[in-house]
Amino acid sequence: MSRPDPSSLGRLDAWDGLRTVVAGFGVSGFAAADNLLHLGAGVTALAEGARNPEELEKAELLEVLGARVDLHTGATLTLPDDVDVLVTSPGFRPDAPLLAQAHARGIPVWGEVELAWRLRHPDHDTPWLCVTGTNGKTTTVQMLDSILRAAGLRSVAVGNVGLPIVEAVMDPTPYDVLAVELSSFQLHYTDSMSAQASAVLNVAEDHLDWYDGPAGMDAYTADKGRIYERTQRACVYNVADPATEALVREADVVEGARAIGFTLGMPSVGMVGLVEDILVDRAFVETRDSTAAELCTVSDLASDAPHFVANALAAAALARAHGVSQAAVRDGLRAFRPDGHRIAVVAERDGVGWVDDSKATNPHAAMSSLQAYDSVVWVAGGLAKGARFDDLVQAVRSRLRGVVLIGRDRDVIAEALSRHAPDVRVLTVDGGETDTQDGGRALMGRVVDAAADMARAGDTVLLAPGCASMDQFTSYAARGDAFAAAVRDRLDDQH
């Protein structure tokens, strides 16, 4: 029996006989393997060493369903001989052995996003509203989902947040619309997606350990821009970040798609923005040449931090591109509350605020957080992922009361501070992985004590590390939890 051509297969086709390899065993990898088996494809799932009961249980389930699963060390070094298509998890770099071998043999490489796009049901073509950017993706997508739900639509946040996209598109009850968060890694392996509306929130240095080499930043930016390709209605860009507008100009979009800017200033025609403290639309109203439609006020939002307001404007633009009413935008944004560890106020005592923004895992995110406060004791450090901190320090040095540094790459930040803010007091708190036996609480106790010694009334002690957490903590959430617990311990002891 001849095997089907993977490039021609869709949701209603017979996938029997197609030989697929799924690389990676995370949430998206398991979803891809599970649904490929459901379609009738042969599946080999490869990952490096399952380490917890949940992964082993998933592996056993896939084997029961007919997959071959290899989780041993070295499992992802060699691509099997009988392969028609490779479905990769986003963590695999393009030069990883499996992908390099697939390219050399002319085997198609899809990400889970590409697979999901190919599996949409032709009878109910659910629109995708897609978001990428260095920072703010999750918040914006969750805001967007809240707005869509306020409009009475069956929506779900998918992709890099929430439900795997392939699970959403295979749901027997079709969604009205999907709010899709996409990382640059996911976009790198996506070739045919055509979003109804798409947004790049910002582009700044991040993941340069994945995008290696002298052209790394250019490659990272180009992958972000892939979200605009084939966009149908609206390409939403950040007026304050010219790189995002340039990506729109370079994109090959569906005829009639419009460029829609979002700005914290007064919006021009074709933009959403602010008029004093009111979020307004001059893009999706018939009278946009002369008037703006009120969407909501800054006080309706959970935070008035500039980056939070910008995220709300981007979410509103995407929702309006889908046809959502002004009232639904207002109601959805009023109802939205950000996840933990994103500009979360832990405590206020004696005029000092303590804020957990552990989710600020790169310099751009940390800069946005720092710029929301006038005087800061900054807690920073961790895994820098190849990023530099000179631009950040130059931008915020006038706001810094002091800095407390932790983590493996703390010297990278310390060197930027010595170059551009030599008068700012810097303290280093040592601690390695052994400190995490208590969840990192003892380490953060020393951090909080050091920060408290520097803070004065009117200051904010801000955990905005600018780095990933895995050198000392299991996740950014664990880092934030340890910080919050240490703050509460100190304040309770002062009673």
Side-chain angles (χ1 to χ4, degrees):
M1 183 180 76
S2 62
R3 292 190 303 274
D5 174 9
S7 65
S8 66
L9 293 175
R11 170 72 163 269
L12 303 182
D13 294 313
W15 290 61
D16 304 54
L18 190 77
R19 302 170 305 186
T20 66
V21 167
V22 176
F25 208 62
V27 173
S28 64
F30 174 79
D34 183 33
N35 283 282
L36 284 166
L37 287 166
H38 175 75
L39 291 164
V43 174
T44 298
L46 304 177
E48 291 279 348
R51 291 177 298 276
N52 61 62
E54 183 180 0
E55 288 177 320
L56 295 173
E57 183 178 340
K58 286 180 177 179
E60 185 177 349
L61 174 59
L62 289 181
E63 288 178 328
V64 169
L65 293 173
R68 184 176 79 84
V69 181
D70 187 350
L71 304 179
H72 297 96
T73 301
T76 61
L77 294 179
T78 304
L79 188 67
D81 293 332
D82 325 344
V83 184
D84 298 309
V85 65
L86 170 63
V87 180
T88 181
S89 297
F92 283 82
R93 287 170 40 143
D95 59 358
L98 280 183
L99 277 68
Q101 292 165 45
H103 288 306
R105 288 159 52 181
I107 295 169
V109 176
W110 300 344
E112 184 251 346
V113 180
E114 180 68 19
L115 175 64
W117 183 258
R118 292 168 180 267
L119 294 181
R120 293 168 301 121
H121 200 293
D123 294 340
H124 40 78
D125 188 8
T126 301
W128 292 18
L129 306 177
C130 298
V131 179
T132 193
T134 303
N135 297 298
K137 297 185 294 295
T138 300
T139 299
T140 301
V141 163
Q142 291 174 334
M143 285 177 168
L144 174 59
D145 183 45
S146 181
I147 293 168
L148 296 169
R149 290 169 183 264
L153 298 170
R154 185 170 188 256
S155 166
V156 64
V158 297
N160 206 40
V161 61
L163 192 68
I165 310 178
V166 72
E167 294 285 359
V169 300
M170 294 293 285
D171 194 304
T173 304
Y175 286 92
D176 296 320
V177 60
L178 299 181
V180 186
E181 178 186 340
L182 297 174
S183 70
S184 60
F185 304 159
Q186 289 170 310
L187 285 163
H188 183 86
Y189 299 116
T190 302
D191 298 306
S192 61
M193 183 188 77
S194 175
Q196 184 182 73
S198 55
V200 180
L201 303 177
N202 40 62
V203 180
E205 282 191 353
D206 197 15
H207 299 300
L208 296 187
D209 51 345
W210 201 88
Y211 292 92
D212 203 2
M217 187 63 193
D218 290 341
Y220 171 66
T221 302
D223 277 350
K224 291 292 186 191
R226 292 168 72 93
I227 201 169
Y228 290 134
E229 294 296 321
R230 297 167 295 278
T231 293
Q232 301 165 21
R233 290 189 185 174
C235 296
V236 178
Y237 68 92
N238 184 350
V239 175
D241 189 339
T244 64
E245 184 176 4
L247 291 172
V248 175
R249 294 183 186 280
E250 295 165 6
D252 185 8
V253 302
V254 173
E255 186 174 354
R258 301 167 56 202
I260 306 296
F262 67 91
T263 175
L264 293 176
M266 186 87 70
S268 301
V269 175
M271 298 180 182
V272 296
L274 290 179
V275 176
E276 297 180 347
D277 66 342
I278 301 172
L279 282 70
V280 300
D281 170 9
R282 289 195 70 189
F284 300 100
V285 289
E286 290 186 7
T287 56
R288 54 185 173 268
D289 287 344
S290 56
T291 60
E294 179 176 340
L295 299 174
C296 68
T297 65
V298 172
S299 62
D300 287 322
L301 306 178
S303 171
D304 62 0
H307 60 294
F308 195 86
V309 178
N311 292 341
L313 287 164
L318 291 165
R320 294 286 280 164
H322 185 63
V324 166
S325 70
Q326 296 165 237
V329 173
R330 179 199 63 210
D331 293 346
L333 290 175
R334 279 179 176 172
F336 175 74
R337 292 294 178 270
D339 285 344
H341 313 294
R342 171 60 82 193
I343 52 174
V345 176
V346 176
E348 295 182 10
R349 178 76 60 83
D350 299 328
V352 176
W354 298 81
V355 176
D356 166 18
D357 198 3
S358 184
K359 199 173 181 184
T361 57
N362 57 60
H364 188 270
M367 184 188 301
S368 296
S369 190
L370 286 159
Q371 289 176 330
Y373 304 97
D374 293 329
S375 183
V376 178
V377 177
W378 178 30
V379 179
L383 292 174
K385 300 176 290 182
R388 297 181 294 272
F389 289 78
D390 294 85
D391 290 346
L392 183 160
V393 173
Q394 286 179 300
V396 304
R397 57 190 171 193
S398 64
R399 302 171 186 267
L400 297 178
R401 168 80 68 187
V403 181
V404 181
L405 295 178
I406 61 173
R408 192 188 74 180
D409 293 333
R410 59 185 179 269
D411 288 348
V412 176
I413 306 174
E415 289 164 7
L417 287 162
S418 69
R419 285 191 290 270
H420 306 294
D423 296 332
V424 172
R425 186 182 177 194
V426 178
L427 296 176
T428 296
V429 174
D430 292 323
E433 293 181 4
T434 55
D435 290 284
T436 63
Q437 299 304 311
D438 63 348
R441 200 157 171 165
L443 169 64
M444 278 301 183
R446 299 196 298 276
V447 168
V448 165
D449 288 344
D453 287 344
M454 287 193 272
R456 303 290 180 266
D459 291 347
T460 298
V461 178
L462 175 65
L463 173 66
C467 295
S469 59
M470 285 76 75
D471 57 331
Q472 294 179 303
F473 299 89
T474 56
S475 65
Y476 74 81
R479 178 171 61 189
D481 288 342
F483 175 76
V487 170
R488 296 187 185 105
D489 286 347
R490 179 181 172 87
L491 298 184
D492 288 346
D493 289 345
Q494 291 177 345
H495 274 301

